[in-house]
Amino acid sequence: MMSAAVHWLRSEPLGIVRSAILAASQSEWLRVHAPRYRFVRRTADRFMPGEKLEDAIGAARKLGDHNIGSVFSALGENVTDPAEAEKESHYYVEVLAQLRAAGMPLEVSVKLTHLGLDLNPDLCYRNLKRIVDAAAGGLVWIDMEQSAYVDRTLALFHRVHAESPHVGICLQAYLYRTAKDMESLITAGAAIRLVKGAYQEAKEVAYPKKRDVDQNFFELTKRLLSDGALHRGVRGAIGTHDIELIRRTNEFASEHGVPKDGYEFQMLYGIQREEQIRLARNRYRMIVLICYGTHWYPWFMRRMAERPANTWFALKNIVAG
Ligand code: FDA
Protein backbone atom coordinates (compact mmCIF):
# COMPACT_ATOMS: atom_id res chain seq x y z
CA MET A 1 0.00 0.00 0.00
CA MET A 2 2.88 2.33 0.89
CA SER A 3 4.56 1.70 -2.47
CA ALA A 4 1.32 2.53 -4.35
CA ALA A 5 1.13 5.82 -2.44
CA VAL A 6 4.75 6.59 -3.28
CA HIS A 7 4.20 5.81 -6.93
CA TRP A 8 1.18 8.12 -6.99
CA LEU A 9 3.06 10.96 -5.28
CA ARG A 10 5.95 10.56 -7.69
CA SER A 11 3.85 10.40 -10.84
CA GLU A 12 1.13 12.91 -9.99
CA PRO A 13 1.65 15.84 -12.43
CA LEU A 14 0.26 19.34 -11.92
CA GLY A 15 -2.97 18.29 -10.26
CA ILE A 16 -4.51 17.68 -6.91
CA VAL A 17 -1.41 17.33 -4.75
CA ARG A 18 0.13 20.51 -6.14
CA SER A 19 -3.08 22.49 -5.58
CA ALA A 20 -3.44 21.15 -2.05
CA ILE A 21 0.15 22.06 -1.17
CA LEU A 22 -0.21 25.56 -2.68
CA ALA A 23 -3.45 26.07 -0.73
CA ALA A 24 -1.65 24.99 2.45
CA SER A 25 1.13 27.49 1.67
CA GLN A 26 -1.45 30.28 2.25
CA SER A 27 -2.70 28.93 5.58
CA GLU A 28 -2.01 31.30 8.45
CA TRP A 29 -2.43 28.49 11.00
CA LEU A 30 0.09 26.25 9.25
CA ARG A 31 2.51 29.15 8.78
CA VAL A 32 2.66 29.51 12.54
CA HIS A 33 2.51 25.83 13.50
CA ALA A 34 4.15 23.74 10.77
CA PRO A 35 7.73 25.08 11.23
CA ARG A 36 7.60 23.82 14.84
CA TYR A 37 7.68 20.22 13.63
CA ARG A 38 11.14 18.75 13.28
CA PHE A 39 10.28 16.81 10.10
CA VAL A 40 9.15 20.02 8.40
CA ARG A 41 12.35 21.82 9.39
CA ARG A 42 14.47 18.89 8.25
CA THR A 43 12.74 18.87 4.88
CA ALA A 44 13.19 22.66 4.53
CA ASP A 45 16.93 22.23 5.23
CA ARG A 46 17.23 20.66 1.83
CA PHE A 47 16.44 24.02 0.17
CA MET A 48 18.20 26.48 2.45
CA PRO A 49 21.60 26.42 4.10
CA GLY A 50 20.28 27.97 7.32
CA GLU A 51 18.38 30.87 8.80
CA LYS A 52 21.28 33.36 9.04
CA LEU A 53 23.18 35.43 6.46
CA GLU A 54 26.43 33.74 7.60
CA ASP A 55 24.90 30.38 6.59
CA ALA A 56 24.11 31.76 3.13
CA ILE A 57 27.60 33.26 2.76
CA GLY A 58 29.15 29.92 3.80
CA ALA A 59 27.09 28.15 1.12
CA ALA A 60 28.06 30.77 -1.47
CA ARG A 61 31.76 30.21 -0.72
CA LYS A 62 31.36 26.49 -1.37
CA LEU A 63 29.53 27.20 -4.64
CA GLY A 64 32.28 29.68 -5.55
CA ASP A 65 34.79 26.79 -5.37
CA HIS A 66 32.92 25.37 -8.39
CA ASN A 67 32.81 28.76 -10.21
CA ILE A 68 29.13 29.09 -9.37
CA GLY A 69 27.91 32.58 -8.48
CA SER A 70 25.26 33.46 -5.88
CA VAL A 71 22.28 35.70 -5.34
CA PHE A 72 21.04 36.15 -1.76
CA SER A 73 17.44 36.40 -0.61
CA ALA A 74 16.13 36.96 2.92
CA LEU A 75 12.81 35.16 3.04
CA GLY A 76 9.62 37.06 3.80
CA GLU A 77 6.49 38.29 2.02
CA ASN A 78 3.18 40.09 2.48
CA VAL A 79 4.17 42.29 5.39
CA THR A 80 1.23 44.16 6.91
CA ASP A 81 3.02 46.87 8.85
CA PRO A 82 4.76 49.85 7.12
CA ALA A 83 7.43 49.97 9.85
CA GLU A 84 8.27 46.32 9.22
CA ALA A 85 8.53 46.89 5.45
CA GLU A 86 10.95 49.76 6.08
CA LYS A 87 12.92 47.66 8.56
CA GLU A 88 13.29 44.91 5.93
CA SER A 89 14.72 47.40 3.43
CA HIS A 90 17.27 48.62 5.99
CA TYR A 91 18.11 44.98 6.67
CA TYR A 92 18.89 44.46 2.96
CA VAL A 93 21.13 47.55 2.99
CA GLU A 94 23.03 45.92 5.87
CA VAL A 95 23.14 42.59 3.97
CA LEU A 96 24.70 44.36 0.97
CA ALA A 97 27.30 45.99 3.24
CA GLN A 98 28.17 42.58 4.69
CA LEU A 99 28.35 40.98 1.24
CA ARG A 100 30.68 43.77 0.11
CA ALA A 101 32.89 43.27 3.18
CA ALA A 102 32.96 39.50 2.60
CA GLY A 103 33.94 39.93 -1.07
CA MET A 104 30.71 38.25 -2.18
CA PRO A 105 28.73 38.97 -5.37
CA LEU A 106 26.54 42.03 -4.69
CA GLU A 107 23.30 40.47 -5.86
CA VAL A 108 20.13 40.10 -3.85
CA SER A 109 16.60 39.07 -4.75
CA VAL A 110 13.61 40.72 -3.11
CA LYS A 111 9.85 40.31 -3.03
CA LEU A 112 7.98 43.60 -3.27
CA THR A 113 5.28 42.43 -0.84
CA HIS A 114 8.14 42.05 1.66
CA LEU A 115 8.85 45.76 1.11
CA GLY A 116 5.27 46.99 1.48
CA LEU A 117 3.62 46.51 -1.93
CA ASP A 118 0.35 45.47 -0.23
CA LEU A 119 0.38 48.67 1.80
CA ASN A 120 1.39 51.57 -0.44
CA PRO A 121 3.27 51.71 -3.76
CA ASP A 122 5.20 54.86 -2.77
CA LEU A 123 6.38 53.28 0.47
CA CYS A 124 7.41 50.21 -1.51
CA TYR A 125 9.22 52.39 -4.07
CA ARG A 126 11.21 54.16 -1.32
CA ASN A 127 12.14 50.84 0.29
CA LEU A 128 13.19 49.30 -3.02
CA LYS A 129 15.14 52.39 -4.09
CA ARG A 130 17.04 52.36 -0.78
CA ILE A 131 18.22 48.81 -1.50
CA VAL A 132 19.02 49.53 -5.15
CA ASP A 133 21.12 52.56 -4.15
CA ALA A 134 23.04 50.36 -1.71
CA ALA A 135 23.65 47.78 -4.46
CA ALA A 136 25.76 50.12 -6.66
CA GLY A 137 28.03 47.85 -8.69
CA GLY A 138 25.66 44.91 -8.20
CA LEU A 139 22.05 44.08 -8.86
CA VAL A 140 18.74 43.83 -7.02
CA TRP A 141 16.50 41.22 -8.63
CA ILE A 142 12.77 41.69 -8.10
CA ASP A 143 10.92 38.39 -7.73
CA MET A 144 7.54 38.06 -9.41
CA GLU A 145 4.67 37.07 -7.10
CA GLN A 146 1.02 36.19 -7.82
CA SER A 147 -0.53 37.51 -11.06
CA ALA A 148 -2.47 40.20 -9.18
CA TYR A 149 0.87 41.89 -8.40
CA VAL A 150 2.36 41.84 -11.91
CA ASP A 151 1.22 45.31 -13.09
CA ARG A 152 2.33 46.98 -9.86
CA THR A 153 5.62 45.09 -9.85
CA LEU A 154 6.42 46.06 -13.44
CA ALA A 155 5.46 49.70 -12.77
CA LEU A 156 7.81 49.88 -9.78
CA PHE A 157 10.56 48.14 -11.72
CA HIS A 158 10.33 50.67 -14.59
CA ARG A 159 10.21 53.58 -12.12
CA VAL A 160 13.39 52.49 -10.34
CA HIS A 161 15.13 51.30 -13.52
CA ALA A 162 14.69 54.76 -15.06
CA GLU A 163 16.84 56.04 -12.18
CA SER A 164 19.34 53.22 -11.73
CA PRO A 165 20.61 50.27 -13.79
CA HIS A 166 21.14 48.16 -10.64
CA VAL A 167 17.77 46.46 -10.74
CA GLY A 168 16.47 43.40 -12.62
CA ILE A 169 13.17 41.55 -12.70
CA CYS A 170 11.68 38.08 -12.88
CA LEU A 171 9.04 37.04 -15.46
CA GLN A 172 6.87 33.92 -15.33
CA ALA A 173 6.42 31.78 -18.45
CA TYR A 174 3.08 30.38 -17.24
CA LEU A 175 1.33 33.75 -17.71
CA TYR A 176 -0.22 34.47 -21.13
CA ARG A 177 0.81 38.14 -20.81
CA THR A 178 4.53 37.53 -20.34
CA ALA A 179 5.58 37.75 -24.02
CA LYS A 180 4.18 41.29 -24.13
CA ASP A 181 5.73 42.25 -20.78
CA MET A 182 9.06 40.92 -21.97
CA GLU A 183 9.02 43.26 -24.99
CA SER A 184 8.76 46.38 -22.82
CA LEU A 185 11.59 45.07 -20.62
CA ILE A 186 13.76 44.31 -23.64
CA THR A 187 13.18 47.84 -24.93
CA ALA A 188 14.41 49.09 -21.54
CA GLY A 189 17.51 46.84 -21.79
CA ALA A 190 16.63 45.20 -18.47
CA ALA A 191 18.14 42.24 -16.63
CA ILE A 192 15.42 39.59 -16.95
CA ARG A 193 15.18 36.29 -15.08
CA LEU A 194 12.75 33.93 -16.77
CA VAL A 195 11.08 31.25 -14.62
CA LYS A 196 8.07 28.96 -15.10
CA GLY A 197 6.03 30.42 -12.20
CA ALA A 198 5.36 29.00 -8.74
CA TYR A 199 1.87 30.13 -7.70
CA GLN A 200 -1.66 28.82 -8.07
CA GLU A 201 -3.16 30.74 -11.00
CA ALA A 202 -6.51 30.63 -12.81
CA LYS A 203 -6.68 29.23 -16.34
CA GLU A 204 -7.87 32.68 -17.48
CA VAL A 205 -4.40 34.12 -16.80
CA ALA A 206 -1.97 31.19 -16.95
CA TYR A 207 -1.40 28.03 -18.99
CA PRO A 208 -2.86 25.16 -16.94
CA LYS A 209 -0.81 22.48 -18.70
CA LYS A 210 2.86 21.97 -17.93
CA ARG A 211 3.56 21.12 -21.57
CA ASP A 212 2.31 24.58 -22.67
CA VAL A 213 4.28 26.33 -19.92
CA ASP A 214 7.45 24.54 -21.05
CA GLN A 215 6.80 25.47 -24.69
CA ASN A 216 6.20 29.13 -23.81
CA PHE A 217 9.33 29.09 -21.65
CA PHE A 218 11.39 28.03 -24.65
CA GLU A 219 9.80 30.63 -26.96
CA LEU A 220 10.56 33.35 -24.40
CA THR A 221 14.10 32.02 -23.96
CA LYS A 222 14.69 32.36 -27.69
CA ARG A 223 13.54 35.99 -27.54
CA LEU A 224 15.79 36.67 -24.52
CA LEU A 225 18.77 35.31 -26.42
CA SER A 226 17.88 37.04 -29.70
CA ASP A 227 20.15 39.59 -31.37
CA GLY A 228 17.55 42.28 -30.71
CA ALA A 229 17.62 41.65 -26.95
CA LEU A 230 21.38 41.23 -26.68
CA HIS A 231 22.04 44.43 -28.65
CA ARG A 232 19.91 46.35 -26.18
CA GLY A 233 22.11 45.11 -23.32
CA VAL A 234 19.54 42.69 -21.89
CA ARG A 235 20.97 40.30 -19.29
CA GLY A 236 19.08 37.07 -19.86
CA ALA A 237 18.87 34.64 -16.96
CA ILE A 238 17.25 31.28 -17.60
CA GLY A 239 15.84 30.29 -14.20
CA THR A 240 15.06 26.60 -14.38
CA HIS A 241 16.12 23.14 -13.17
CA ASP A 242 14.61 21.54 -16.25
CA ILE A 243 17.49 19.68 -17.85
CA GLU A 244 15.77 19.28 -21.21
CA LEU A 245 15.05 23.03 -21.42
CA ILE A 246 18.66 23.74 -20.45
CA ARG A 247 19.86 21.42 -23.21
CA ARG A 248 17.58 23.07 -25.79
CA THR A 249 18.71 26.54 -24.65
CA ASN A 250 22.38 25.69 -25.10
CA GLU A 251 21.67 24.07 -28.46
CA PHE A 252 19.78 27.18 -29.64
CA ALA A 253 22.56 29.48 -28.38
CA SER A 254 25.24 27.47 -30.09
CA GLU A 255 23.31 27.34 -33.40
CA HIS A 256 22.72 31.10 -33.31
CA GLY A 257 26.23 32.14 -32.29
CA VAL A 258 25.26 33.36 -28.81
CA PRO A 259 28.43 33.08 -26.70
CA LYS A 260 28.34 31.16 -23.41
CA ASP A 261 28.79 34.43 -21.51
CA GLY A 262 25.87 36.01 -23.42
CA TYR A 263 23.34 34.46 -21.03
CA GLU A 264 23.23 32.62 -17.72
CA PHE A 265 21.41 29.90 -15.85
CA GLN A 266 19.95 30.43 -12.40
CA MET A 267 18.79 27.69 -10.04
CA LEU A 268 17.67 27.43 -6.45
CA TYR A 269 19.99 26.25 -3.72
CA GLY A 270 19.79 22.51 -3.16
CA ILE A 271 18.09 21.60 -6.47
CA GLN A 272 19.93 19.86 -9.36
CA ARG A 273 23.31 20.36 -7.67
CA GLU A 274 25.11 18.03 -10.08
CA GLU A 275 23.73 19.89 -13.08
CA GLN A 276 24.84 23.20 -11.54
CA ILE A 277 28.40 21.89 -11.24
CA ARG A 278 28.32 20.32 -14.70
CA LEU A 279 27.21 23.58 -16.34
CA ALA A 280 29.84 25.63 -14.50
CA ARG A 281 32.52 23.09 -15.39
CA ASN A 282 31.51 23.43 -19.05
CA ARG A 283 32.00 27.22 -18.74
CA TYR A 284 28.35 28.22 -18.76
CA ARG A 285 27.45 31.05 -16.39
CA MET A 286 25.72 29.41 -13.42
CA ILE A 287 24.22 31.33 -10.52
CA VAL A 288 22.41 29.91 -7.50
CA LEU A 289 19.74 31.80 -5.59
CA ILE A 290 20.36 31.17 -1.89
CA CYS A 291 17.33 31.85 0.30
CA TYR A 292 17.66 32.02 4.05
CA GLY A 293 15.82 33.40 7.07
CA THR A 294 13.18 32.47 9.57
CA HIS A 295 10.05 33.28 7.50
CA TRP A 296 10.45 30.31 5.20
CA TYR A 297 7.11 28.50 5.43
CA PRO A 298 5.16 29.73 2.29
CA TRP A 299 8.33 29.71 0.18
CA PHE A 300 9.16 26.18 1.34
CA MET A 301 5.64 24.98 0.50
CA ARG A 302 6.02 26.34 -3.05
CA ARG A 303 9.20 24.24 -3.36
CA MET A 304 7.22 21.22 -2.17
CA ALA A 305 4.48 21.90 -4.72
CA GLU A 306 6.96 22.09 -7.60
CA ARG A 307 7.70 18.44 -7.14
CA PRO A 308 5.01 16.51 -5.31
CA ALA A 309 7.53 13.67 -4.90
CA ASN A 310 9.12 16.02 -2.31
CA THR A 311 6.16 15.13 -0.13
CA TRP A 312 7.61 11.63 0.01
CA PHE A 313 10.91 13.12 1.18
CA ALA A 314 8.98 14.88 3.99
CA LEU A 315 7.21 11.63 4.91
CA LYS A 316 10.57 9.88 5.17
CA ASN A 317 11.67 12.59 7.61
CA ILE A 318 8.66 11.82 9.81
CA VAL A 319 9.69 8.18 9.87
CA ALA A 320 13.30 9.19 10.62
CA GLY A 321 11.92 11.13 13.59
P1 FDA B 1 10.07 21.87 -13.43
O1 FDA B 1 9.11 22.20 -12.34
O2 FDA B 1 9.53 21.26 -14.67
O3 FDA B 1 11.20 20.98 -12.82
C1 FDA B 1 12.20 20.37 -13.62
C2 FDA B 1 12.96 19.39 -12.76
O4 FDA B 1 13.70 20.11 -11.76
C3 FDA B 1 12.05 18.45 -11.95
O5 FDA B 1 11.73 17.32 -12.69
C4 FDA B 1 12.90 18.13 -10.76
O6 FDA B 1 13.88 17.17 -11.07
C5 FDA B 1 13.63 19.44 -10.51
N1 FDA B 1 12.91 20.29 -9.55
C6 FDA B 1 12.21 21.42 -9.82
N2 FDA B 1 11.72 21.95 -8.69
C7 FDA B 1 12.09 21.13 -7.69
C8 FDA B 1 11.90 21.14 -6.29
N3 FDA B 1 11.21 22.10 -5.69
N4 FDA B 1 12.43 20.14 -5.56
C9 FDA B 1 13.16 19.16 -6.15
N5 FDA B 1 13.38 19.10 -7.47
C10 FDA B 1 12.87 20.07 -8.24
N6 FDA B 1 8.81 31.56 -9.30
C11 FDA B 1 8.00 32.64 -9.25
O7 FDA B 1 6.79 32.51 -9.45
N7 FDA B 1 8.53 33.87 -8.99
C12 FDA B 1 9.86 34.07 -8.81
O8 FDA B 1 10.30 35.20 -8.57
C13 FDA B 1 10.73 32.94 -8.88
N8 FDA B 1 12.07 33.08 -8.73
C14 FDA B 1 12.89 32.01 -9.04
C15 FDA B 1 14.27 32.20 -9.10
C16 FDA B 1 15.09 31.16 -9.51
C17 FDA B 1 16.57 31.37 -9.61
C18 FDA B 1 14.51 29.90 -9.85
C19 FDA B 1 15.37 28.77 -10.33
C20 FDA B 1 13.16 29.71 -9.73
C21 FDA B 1 12.33 30.75 -9.31
N9 FDA B 1 10.96 30.56 -9.22
C22 FDA B 1 10.15 31.69 -9.13
C23 FDA B 1 10.36 29.21 -9.21
C24 FDA B 1 9.91 28.78 -10.61
O9 FDA B 1 8.79 29.52 -11.02
C25 FDA B 1 9.55 27.30 -10.65
O10 FDA B 1 8.47 27.07 -9.79
C26 FDA B 1 10.68 26.36 -10.24
O11 FDA B 1 11.90 26.79 -10.76
C27 FDA B 1 10.39 24.91 -10.77
O12 FDA B 1 10.32 24.92 -12.16
P2 FDA B 1 11.48 24.36 -13.13
O13 FDA B 1 11.73 25.40 -14.17
O14 FDA B 1 12.65 24.00 -12.35
O15 FDA B 1 10.83 23.18 -13.91
Side-chain angles (χ1 to χ4, degrees):
M1 173 149 154
M2 192 67 144
S3 69
V6 172
H7 176 75
W8 185 69
L9 281 170
R10 285 196 171 137
S11 61
E12 197 279 340
L14 267 179
I16 314 163
V17 173
R18 181 175 183 270
S19 299
I21 298 172
L22 286 173
S25 77
Q26 302 289 306
S27 159
E28 189 54 27
W29 189 89
L30 282 172
R31 188 186 63 73
V32 173
H33 292 86
R36 295 181 187 164
Y37 291 97
R38 196 137 56 101
F39 81 91
V40 177
R41 300 180 73 95
R42 281 165 56 155
T43 311
D45 282 351
R46 178 177 175 188
F47 303 110
M48 49 185 260
E51 294 191 343
K52 300 201 177 74
L53 176 61
E54 299 92 89
D55 301 322
I57 290 178
R61 287 197 199 289
K62 288 188 190 144
L63 289 166
D65 292 342
H66 296 283
N67 285 325
I68 297 173
S70 296
V71 177
F72 299 84
S73 188
L75 291 167
E77 51 200 83
N78 296 113
V79 302
T80 51
D81 174 5
E84 194 190 336
E86 193 175 329
K87 198 172 116 205
E88 293 301 340
S89 81
H90 285 290
Y91 172 70
Y92 265 112
V93 170
E94 176 57 29
V95 166
L96 284 159
Q98 290 197 36
L99 293 177
R100 211 180 276 277
M104 287 281 122
L106 274 189
E107 298 211 1
V108 295
S109 202
V110 300
K111 289 197 182 348
L112 292 189
T113 66
H114 198 191
L115 302 176
L117 187 61
D118 286 323
L119 303 168
N120 176 330
D122 286 329
L123 166 88
C124 188
Y125 162 78
R126 286 194 301 277
N127 289 338
L128 174 63
K129 184 67 171 37
R130 182 177 295 120
I131 304 171
V132 171
D133 287 345
L139 197 83
V140 178
W141 290 98
I142 300 176
D143 289 350
M144 192 58 83
E145 300 176 70
Q146 289 94 327
S147 57
Y149 293 114
V150 175
D151 281 328
R152 283 175 282 168
T153 303
L154 286 169
L156 277 173
F157 166 81
H158 283 294
R159 187 171 167 193
V160 173
H161 189 252
E163 298 166 341
S164 166
H166 304 296
V167 62
I169 189 158
C170 181
L171 287 180
Q172 298 153 323
Y174 63 12
L175 297 182
Y176 304 131
R177 60 176 289 170
T178 292
K180 194 158 160 268
D181 293 338
M182 184 178 271
E183 289 310 314
S184 69
L185 291 168
I186 287 175
T187 303
I192 303 170
R193 174 208 292 147
L194 179 65
V195 302
K196 288 188 188 175
Y199 298 86
Q200 182 83 310
E201 296 290 356
K203 63 178 186 318
E204 287 73 23
V205 294
Y207 294 101
K209 291 198 181 126
K210 178 171 161 43
R211 195 185 50 221
D212 296 332
V213 177
D214 291 358
Q215 183 54 34
N216 197 37
F217 191 104
F218 189 57
E219 293 306 318
L220 293 165
T221 295
K222 289 195 278 188
R223 180 66 181 121
L224 260 190
L225 269 52
S226 66
D227 282 350
L230 296 176
H231 285 148
R232 286 196 181 261
V234 165
R235 173 175 164 187
I238 312 304
T240 186
H241 314 96
D242 187 327
I243 290 176
E244 177 57 12
L245 271 174
I246 291 168
R247 188 196 64 72
R248 290 174 75 191
T249 300
N250 288 336
E251 187 180 81
F252 174 86
S254 152
E255 282 170 9
H256 291 79
V258 183
K260 285 185 178 177
D261 62 1
Y263 61 105
E264 70 196 45
F265 292 106
Q266 292 195 6
M267 292 192 200
L268 299 176
Y269 178 84
I271 303 181
Q272 301 285 29
R273 288 177 205 234
E274 284 175 16
E275 180 69 0
Q276 294 171 8
I277 293 171
R278 190 191 71 79
L279 286 165
R281 198 186 296 127
N282 287 303
R283 301 187 181 282
Y284 291 103
R285 294 184 62 203
M286 181 67 239
I287 295 184
V288 167
L289 173 57
I290 306 176
C291 298
Y292 69 95
T294 49
H295 299 293
W296 45 262
Y297 172 76
W299 170 86
F300 159 70
M301 291 299 274
R302 290 195 293 275
R303 302 293 76 78
M304 295 290 284
E306 281 157 3
R307 197 165 176 243
N310 285 342
T311 315
W312 171 237
F313 184 69
L315 292 175
K316 276 204 292 192
N317 278 337
I318 302 183
V319 176

